[in-house]
Structure formats: C-alpha cells, structure tokens
Amino acid sequence: MAQSEQRLPVELFLDLDRSGPVPLYYQIASRLEGAILDQTLPAGARLENEVALASRLGLSRPTIRRAIQDLVDKGLLVRRRGIGTQVVHGKVTRNVELTSLYEDLERSGQKPETRVLSVDVVRADAAAVEALGVAAGSPVLHVQRLRSADGVPLAILDNVLPEQFIDLDREALGKHGLYQLLRARGVTMRVAKQRIGARAATSREAELLDLARAAPVLTMARTAFDNSGIGVEFGRHCYRPDRYSFEVTLVDR
C-alpha cells in the first residue's frame, strides 16, 4: 500500500545556485536522488504534487517536472494513475542467467508480488511444440501472471509448461516463483535459450503495466531445459523499460 503524501524538507534545497551554470532542474533532481538513496524518502513514499512543490520552492512547474522526469527515467520514481509520483527502488538490472524474476527481485531486496491472471490447460500450439518438443495438440499448462515489485507493476509473464506440470495450481503460482515450484518437484534446470527484444505494448499490456497506450516494452522469450535436455518451460514475457533492464557480460575468446 502506498504511503501518505510526503512533503520534501525545504532544507534539501537551501543551497540551490539560482544564477550559476548548473541547471536548476539538475540540482533539484540530484537532491531528490540523494534523499531517495539515503532513505530520507523511503520506497513507497508519495511526493507532493508538482504545483505545490514548485510554489514552496519558488520555482517554475516545468523545472520541477523535468527534475522528476529525470528520476522517473532512472527508475527511482514512478508516476501512477490515481496515486501520483511515488518513490520506488531502483531499476531492476537482471544478469542474463538461469534465474527467475522472482528470485532476482528477492536478491535485490525488493518485495515480489504476483497476480495470477489465468491458469488453463490447453492444447500445444506450434510455438509450444517447437520450444518444448511436445506433440502437437498434447495438453500443456498455460499460465499468465502480473509481477510487481513493492506495489509497482513490472512485468507480464506468459509461460507454457509440459503435461507433467498441469497440476500446478493458482494458489501456489501466486505465492511462489515458477522456478521455485519446478525445483521443489526435483527439476534441475541446466540451460536455456533466450531472445531479448522490444516492441509497442498492446492495450491490455499497457493497462496492466500502468503505461501509456503503445508505450515501448522490453520482451524476452526463453525456453529452459533440464539436465536431460528436456524442455520444462517456455516463457514469453514483457517488462516496463523504466523499471527493468538486462545485463550481459561479454568475454573475448
């Protein structure tokens, strides 16, 4: 739940240089970023609106808006409809390795939350057949979830799993990460094929992720294989780019 609106301490801005070469918006953004990083402004805190803040500091609203936008772009603030501007943890930077988003969020000190959108047993389509090596038309489990971090929507997760996992239930999927559930069943995931891209969000994705219509989203398609080389999950996910990025280490051989 979001915290109540928090008035910024005027002391943060007493030494603003209003006539020097450093733009005022940059000075405001730097002080706000410091307050977020030292938890003067804790995760979940809502800032007072731009008009009120500009009035208290004797600055123009465009200056305040640009400072706030800088921190939105860095993933330190988020604008949410009906709530306002809210402090969040920094952008999730995910190493491209065989872990789940749930595990990455826990390791970074954030609180993962899951809303299960659908859980259905369906017939394997061409994409599932190719990715998992199952027979066409065989039963597979199709799961869609909305993953949030500290109350802010972050990703829509769309997974298909082979027949041996069709008894995974909605309650378990809402409480735990998918890879946790698979490991609990004795699955050892050894390797994955992964493709990263970007595209415009669909109207449903934009609504779920609290984005503008047709805003860009990061995408990832992944097939994970166990230590026998059998496909155990096929995922097609999309992420908010202001809250999420992938990190790859390249080695010259």
Side-chain angles (χ1 to χ4, degrees):
M1 181 177 294
Q3 297 180 8
S4 59
E5 187 175 285
Q6 184 162 339
R7 286 167 62 91
L8 295 171
V10 176
E11 294 77 16
L12 281 175
F13 309 103
L14 287 179
D15 61 345
L16 291 176
D17 184 352
R18 297 174 184 256
S19 59
V22 180
L24 280 171
Y25 82 86
Y26 182 85
Q27 296 180 56
I28 296 290
S30 297
R31 284 157 177 76
L32 284 173
E33 182 172 357
I36 292 169
L37 295 178
D38 69 14
Q39 297 189 358
T40 298
L41 289 171
R46 289 192 297 117
L47 303 190
E48 59 194 296
N49 66 65
E50 295 173 358
V51 173
L53 182 57
S55 176
R56 282 207 303 125
L57 299 181
L59 297 169
S60 69
R61 185 178 180 185
T63 296
I64 298 298
R65 183 185 300 120
R66 184 166 181 185
I68 288 174
Q69 186 61 49
D70 271 14
L71 300 186
V72 169
D73 293 341
K74 287 186 176 183
L76 296 175
L77 295 175
V78 64
R79 290 189 172 103
R80 302 179 66 189
R81 297 190 193 97
I83 293 178
T85 302
Q86 188 175 16
V87 177
V88 295
H89 285 289
K91 178 185 287 188
V92 179
T93 301
R94 182 175 187 178
N95 290 315
V96 179
E97 55 183 305
L98 197 46
T99 59
S100 70
L101 175 57
Y102 194 98
E103 294 166 328
D104 293 335
L105 291 171
E106 285 193 321
R107 287 192 305 184
S108 67
Q110 301 191 54
K111 181 182 177 183
E113 300 165 353
T114 304
R115 174 184 162 196
V116 179
L117 303 173
S118 64
V119 181
D120 300 296
V121 177
V122 300
R123 298 296 177 183
D125 61 11
V129 169
E130 180 180 359
L132 298 174
V134 298
S138 62
V140 292
L141 187 69
H142 182 210
V143 179
Q144 289 186 315
R145 295 162 295 156
L146 176 65
R147 178 64 45 74
S148 300
D150 296 319
V152 180
L154 176 64
I156 299 171
L157 311 175
D158 187 307
N159 293 88
V160 177
L161 297 98
E163 185 174 0
Q164 62 265 38
F165 303 116
I166 61 176
D167 60 335
L168 285 175
D169 61 51
R170 179 181 289 266
E171 182 178 1
L173 289 163
K175 289 182 177 179
H176 305 283
L178 179 59
Y179 281 15
Q180 291 176 326
L181 295 174
L182 294 182
R183 291 190 184 104
R185 291 181 173 228
V187 175
T188 301
M189 282 163 289
R190 202 54 86 186
V191 68
K193 294 193 300 183
Q194 184 163 283
R195 184 174 65 253
I196 298 168
R199 57 172 171 78
T202 66
S203 57
R204 181 170 182 265
E205 289 167 346
E207 180 180 359
L208 288 170
L209 294 174
D210 197 16
L211 294 171
R213 182 184 296 272
V217 290
L218 289 171
T219 62
M220 181 183 73
R222 171 193 277 187
T223 304
F225 302 87
D226 66 13
N227 52 1
S228 300
I230 297 172
V232 293
E233 72 94 7
F234 171 47
R236 290 170 288 194
H237 312 324
C238 67
Y239 305 83
R240 284 179 54 149
D242 62 332
R243 296 289 322 282
Y244 198 85
S245 64
F246 294 100
E247 185 173 286
V248 182
T249 299
L250 304 176
V251 178
D252 184 4
R253 292 184 179 180

